[in-house]
Amino acid sequence: PPPSTAPLDLTGRSISDSPSAVLLPPTPASLRRAADALRRGEPVAFPTETVYGLGANALDPEAVRRVFSAKGRPGDNPLIVHVTGLQMLRGLVRSVPPAARALAKRFWPGPLTLVLPRTRRVPDVVTAGLPTVAVRVPDHPVALALIAAAGVPVAAPSANRSGRPSPTRAAHVADDFPGLLVLDGGPAHHGLESTVVALGDPPRVLRLGAIPFEELRATLPGLVVATRARARAESPGMRHRHYAPARPLVLFRRSRVAALREALAADPSALLLCANADAPLFPGTRPVRLGGEPPQIAHGLFDALRTRRRGSVLLAYALPRRGLLRAVMDRLERAATRVV
Ligand code: TXA
Ligand code: MG
């Protein structure tokens, strides 16, 4: 068949006999089908250890444009290029500085994204015109098998419509993109996106994520967390509204327990979001529990933001800003319509 010309056509019709058969278990046959689709310039959603990605052949500008338009993503927000290992970066980046090499050695495959100087081979649309490209090696057998089978680096943002919470399950992807071909790898392991690091002087975390800052600093002692202003300047994605649930979200600081109790009492249709350990602070409510330990809380966050439970508004109780929870708080703050 001739290549599809409709950039918004994500129905996967050309690759699927039945339009409803789009959540595919990652069998060798469906991996082949997905890899063929990628090579034809069609978008494919796939599981990673962090969240689901919406992939396109990173070397095909037209395919990458389709991902931007499907997501409704602003053109100034660059994508992460996924590869199977350091070797696959050849031709894509101009150099891998020693600090980047040390981090890659320790954390790849894994939820670490490195911002490196790019070559001309990386299309402008991938990097939003920046002189750098963000790269990572996902720690997920399906993602790695897909990239290997396609034989090309895969540019993939999180597989949500722009501004919505990131998808941690195949069903979340299907909710945002009915008809899209999705390789279903089950719930994502971390449930929180990769940590993004730029190797400047000093090296900086541009986006907190699934690898806690403290852990990265053990490998790279000079590492700092970029100020908000700098993260916005260097990482355009940080300027945009993200993770917004379908209804308002009000985030209450940990010192505002009394105010949160009052808000809950005043609006019986409000839904409380909190860590399991904090639930007893709000007797008489049936909270959406994020989880117990930090990894479970991180894992539960985006699913909770997409909760189908009835309620006019989400009221979230802040978490202590330590380790992994610092990244969870970053997401909650950016998801919030208001902080009290
Ligand atoms: O875990 C993840 O990182 C997931 C999975 C699918 O790999 N992907 C993901 O992609 O979260 P996305 O597009 O939702 O977020 C990419 C982030 C944005 O904050 C963007 O600004 C930043 O990476 N980024 C991409 N290229 C960059 C570059 N050249 N310089 C600075 N920041 C960049
Ligand atoms: Mg995203």
Side-chain angles (χ1 to χ4, degrees):
S4 164
T5 48
L8 275 171
D9 182 8
L10 288 175
T11 57
R13 265 181 311 231
S14 57
I15 41 179
S16 162
D17 301 324
S18 135
S20 59
V22 284
L23 287 195
L24 299 178
T27 60
S30 51
L31 272 165
R32 263 198 309 278
R33 186 161 143 188
D36 288 345
L38 279 180
R39 274 195 303 262
R40 277 201 304 272
E42 289 165 22
V44 168
F46 62 97
T48 81
E49 81 282 30
T50 57
V51 301
Y52 276 73
L54 180 56
N57 175 356
L59 303 178
D60 177 348
E62 223 21 77
V64 174
R65 258 176 229 121
R66 281 188 188 181
V67 165
F68 274 89
S69 75
K71 276 188 61 110
R73 184 176 176 104
D76 69 350
N77 189 359
L79 305 186
I80 296 170
V81 173
H82 299 69
V83 294
T84 52
L86 264 177
Q87 345 56 262
M88 204 171 178
L89 290 181
R90 202 169 297 152
L92 302 178
V93 303
R94 280 191 284 115
S95 62
V96 183
R101 206 167 281 278
L103 288 174
K105 190 161 180 243
R106 166 75 180 80
F107 294 103
W108 280 358
L112 169 69
T113 293
L114 296 173
V115 176
L116 299 173
R118 66 148 165 150
T119 67
R120 279 245 171 72
R121 226 179 130 217
V122 182
D124 280 335
V125 58
V126 172
T127 70
L130 292 175
T132 52
V133 60
V135 291
R136 84 176 190 98
V137 179
D139 187 12
H140 195 292
V142 175
L144 292 172
L146 177 67
I147 303 165
V152 291
V154 173
S158 49
N160 51 277
R161 294 219 185 244
S162 200
R164 298 261 297 141
S166 298
T168 59
R169 300 167 182 276
H172 296 161
V173 182
D175 284 346
D176 278 13
F177 304 103
L180 174 69
L181 178 77
V182 186
L183 290 172
D184 186 352
H189 174 72
H190 293 289
L192 195 65
E193 304 91 333
S194 61
T195 309
V196 179
V197 172
L199 283 304
D201 185 18
R204 292 184 176 89
V205 171
L206 298 181
R207 177 179 74 179
L208 295 162
I211 303 181
F213 170 66
E214 297 83 347
E215 238 177 84
L216 289 165
R217 209 170 41 179
T219 296
L220 198 59
L223 188 70
V224 300
V225 177
T227 60
R228 263 168 209 229
R230 187 176 268 275
R232 283 202 192 102
E234 282 191 27
S235 191
M238 305 301 279
R239 287 174 215 148
H240 299 289
R241 178 92 205 278
H242 282 299
Y243 319 116
R247 52 201 142 179
L249 168 74
V250 184
L251 174 60
F252 286 76
R253 292 177 215 284
R254 288 186 70 75
S255 59
R256 305 300 304 274
V257 183
L260 178 46
R261 282 193 190 124
E262 274 166 38
L264 286 165
D267 181 357
S269 81
L271 264 183
L272 170 66
L273 242 63
C274 67
N276 296 3
D278 292 327
L281 292 171
F282 310 98
T285 59
R286 210 161 51 79
V288 177
R289 289 158 168 268
L290 294 172
E293 295 303 308
Q296 281 78 50
I297 293 171
H299 188 265
L301 175 71
F302 290 133
D303 205 37
L305 292 183
R306 285 178 183 259
T307 180
R308 288 183 193 269
R309 273 178 56 185
R310 259 186 296 170
S312 52
V313 57
L314 301 174
L315 306 180
Y317 186 53
L319 303 156
R321 252 174 244 271
R322 276 192 305 271
L324 196 52
L325 296 187
R326 188 169 171 189
V328 177
M329 272 302 287
D330 166 79
R331 302 304 188 266
L332 269 175
E333 281 172 338
R334 294 202 278 143
T337 2
R338 199 151 62 82
V339 181
V340 172

